[in-house]
Every structure is written in structure tokens, then in C-alpha cells.
Amino acid sequence: VELSCIIKSTITPDPRIEWKKIRNGETSYVFFDNKMQGDFVTRAEILSRTSLVIKNTTRMDTATYRCEVAAPSDTKTIDEINIQLTVQ
């Protein structure tokens, strides 16, 4: 599955991008400090610097995924998008 977090425009040369998984009220990192975290290390990757691709998804991947972008040089310094993923 591919979850897209598209940055339309930014003047910050290298905005910080983080992906988080929110499930049952608990938040965990998926992509933090420019690397995959936890069990995503072996089955996920970042495409085009922003999109999250999760391979071999299972029902345990059902959650809300949040992409957070921090661009300190921009007028809007932080933004986020939430994507609900349901695996049947």
C-alpha cells in the first residue's frame, strides 16, 4: 500500500518529514530521523521523499497514519495530514 504525503511548495531546502501510526489511542513512529522504525524497517520504504510504502500489509496495519512536515523557513512552519488505512 502507498500512502501519499505530497508537499506542494516550500522554501525550506530540506523539510523534516515524519510518519506516525496511531492505533487504539497509541502513537508510534513509522519514519523518524530519516529512517524507518520498529517492524517497518524490513517492510516499508519512502518513495519520492514523502510517500510511505508498506509491503505485506496485515490487519495489524489498520490505523491512522499521520504525515508531519516541518518547514522552518516557510510561513506555515508545520503541517500534517491524517490517512485512515483499513486492511480487510
Side-chain angles (χ1 to χ4, degrees):
V1 67
E2 181 176 348
L3 307 178
S4 294
C5 178
I6 298 169
I7 301 170
K8 292 190 177 183
S9 65
T10 180
I11 59 171
T12 301
D14 191 20
R16 188 183 81 235
I17 299 164
E18 296 175 358
W19 280 94
K20 296 177 182 176
K21 176 182 177 181
I22 305 161
R23 180 180 166 98
N24 300 327
E26 305 238 346
T27 302
S28 59
Y29 282 109
V30 175
F31 182 75
F32 176 74
D33 200 21
N34 286 321
K35 57 187 176 259
M36 289 297 163
Q37 305 292 316
D39 71 324
F40 291 98
V41 169
T42 58
R43 60 189 193 93
E45 64 181 323
I46 297 294
L47 288 184
S48 303
R49 254 182 26 93
T50 57
S51 293
L52 173 67
V53 176
I54 305 171
K55 300 170 189 163
N56 302 319
T57 55
T58 68
R59 286 190 303 240
M60 291 301 295
D61 293 314
T62 294
T64 298
Y65 289 82
R66 176 181 296 149
C67 174
E68 296 178 0
V69 179
S73 301
D74 289 45
T75 305
K76 188 171 187 178
T77 58
I78 193 161
D79 206 355
E80 65 185 41
I81 185 172
N82 290 316
I83 302 169
Q84 179 63 46
L85 174 65
T86 303
V87 180
Q88 298 292 332

